Amino acid sequence: MADVFEASDGPVFEAGYCFEEVEVRHWDSWQAKMLVVAGLPTEVWGTVAEPTLYGQDCFMAMTRAGFGIDGFVHVEHRIHQRRPVAVGESLVQRGRIEVREPAERGERIVFRFGLIDDNGATVLESELTGLLPEPEKMGPRPSGSGAVPLDPTLGLRRMSRKRLAPHLVTTYSREVGNKIHFDAGFARDLGYRAPIAQGLQTLTWMLGRALSEHRPDAFSLTARFLCPVFWDDEISVWGRAGDDVPFSFLRCVNGDGKVAVEARLQG
């Protein structure tokens, strides 16, 4: 699958490739739509731009460049926000591929993007790590030893729960493409029973719930996407309080009682 990241008559997307710089601006109406389909009230972020949604701009940069993201599985996301961004604020997006290497089920790719303001300061950084799978290597993993798993909610407080719906997942994901989120046949060919929600969609929900009462101006977030959230799943978010943020540790648990997303937040 060496040619998957080569655009026809275009660039080869190896480590070191830099994406074209573009203006990025999130308007209130767009953010409100994305918050609603993620399961949040529109007022939760007020006039502040929701930071996980800038991950969508990263995927759009890949698509514009001809980088095929169909089947791309997002496995880790890091955000470092140095100051709040205002809704409607114009920023310049810069990005590059940091790593491209073979992995157990395909290829591991790491992207890093920064948002620069009018003063030349980087106000927010996003790092996306993902897998472009080889279909023949996908499907269910072998079961474990048979030991009874620990309760993933032990010591945590439940903050919220919701049930996803196909139209909500499709609305959140359609703009950036990637058929794995809205094409049932495509998802089945990769071994999934149904399309899977974007990791970012779940993370948008989790962060909104965690910071609904207090938002630090600057923070770092690391999230790992551990198992799929299907577009009809019932999920819950659980958290543990921290010294500098309301919740420093978050887990999203799916209807099967498995940890789907795990996130650490530091103010």
Side-chain angles (χ1 to χ4, degrees):
M1 53 183 293
D3 63 347
V4 170
F5 292 117
E6 296 173 8
S8 179
D9 299 320
V12 178
F13 299 105
E14 300 286 0
Y17 174 83
C18 293
F19 294 92
E20 178 185 4
E21 291 187 11
V22 296
E23 180 190 22
V24 168
R25 194 192 302 252
H26 287 181
W27 296 108
D28 180 71
S29 57
W30 180 82
Q31 175 163 297
K33 176 189 75 172
M34 298 296 277
L35 293 180
V36 168
V37 298
L40 295 170
T42 57
E43 64 271 16
V44 69
W45 286 93
T47 59
V48 174
E50 199 286 332
T52 68
L53 292 176
Y54 285 107
Q56 297 294 69
D57 296 283
C58 302
F59 285 119
M60 289 184 217
M62 300 175 207
T63 300
R64 277 194 307 271
F67 183 99
I69 65 170
D70 280 339
F72 185 85
V73 179
H74 196 177
V75 298
E76 186 171 283
H77 194 79
R78 296 175 184 265
I79 295 172
H80 182 53
Q81 177 176 289
R82 292 183 172 85
R83 69 157 175 85
V85 176
V87 170
E89 182 176 353
S90 175
L91 301 168
V92 173
Q93 181 195 60
R94 296 174 183 161
R96 59 179 274 143
I97 298 175
E98 297 289 344
V99 177
R100 174 186 174 181
E101 61 188 7
E104 180 184 356
R105 293 190 163 195
E107 283 194 281
R108 175 178 174 266
I109 317 289
V110 180
F111 304 88
R112 181 168 294 155
F113 289 87
L115 294 174
I116 296 88
D117 67 11
D118 289 341
N119 297 317
T122 300
V123 296
L124 189 144
E125 292 176 302
S126 297
E127 184 180 283
L128 296 74
T129 300
L131 171 76
L132 189 82
E134 294 184 43
E136 62 273 16
K137 295 181 179 180
M138 295 300 287
R141 290 182 180 273
S143 59
S145 63
V148 177
L150 296 176
D151 179 358
T153 67
L154 192 64
L156 305 178
R157 190 185 102 193
R158 192 174 78 182
M159 300 153 61
S160 186
R161 69 178 178 183
K162 67 174 182 175
R163 179 173 291 279
L164 279 74
H167 72 280
L168 300 176
V169 172
T170 298
T171 300
Y172 190 96
S173 305
R174 178 72 78 174
E175 241 181 313
V176 300
N178 195 348
K179 296 177 182 177
I180 201 170
H181 301 306
F182 50 81
D183 186 319
F186 186 89
R188 281 195 300 270
D189 288 344
L190 288 176
Y192 299 105
R193 70 165 179 82
I196 58 177
Q198 266 188 272
L200 285 176
Q201 183 171 2
T202 304
L203 190 58
T204 298
W205 177 60
M206 293 171 69
L207 189 64
R209 292 301 181 190
L211 301 184
S212 61
E213 297 179 2
H214 168 69
R215 289 195 306 268
D217 287 344
F219 66 87
S220 295
L221 172 73
T222 300
R224 295 188 301 142
F225 306 116
L226 302 173
C227 73
V229 171
F230 295 105
W231 69 357
D232 56 357
D233 259 343
E234 181 174 334
I235 57 177
S236 56
V237 60
W238 301 72
R240 182 167 62 234
D243 295 330
D244 47 5
V245 287
F247 291 93
S248 61
F249 180 75
L250 300 168
R251 271 184 178 156
C252 173
V253 178
N254 67 16
D256 295 327
K258 295 179 180 178
V259 178
V261 185
E262 197 167 82
R264 297 182 183 275
L265 184 63
Q266 183 175 359

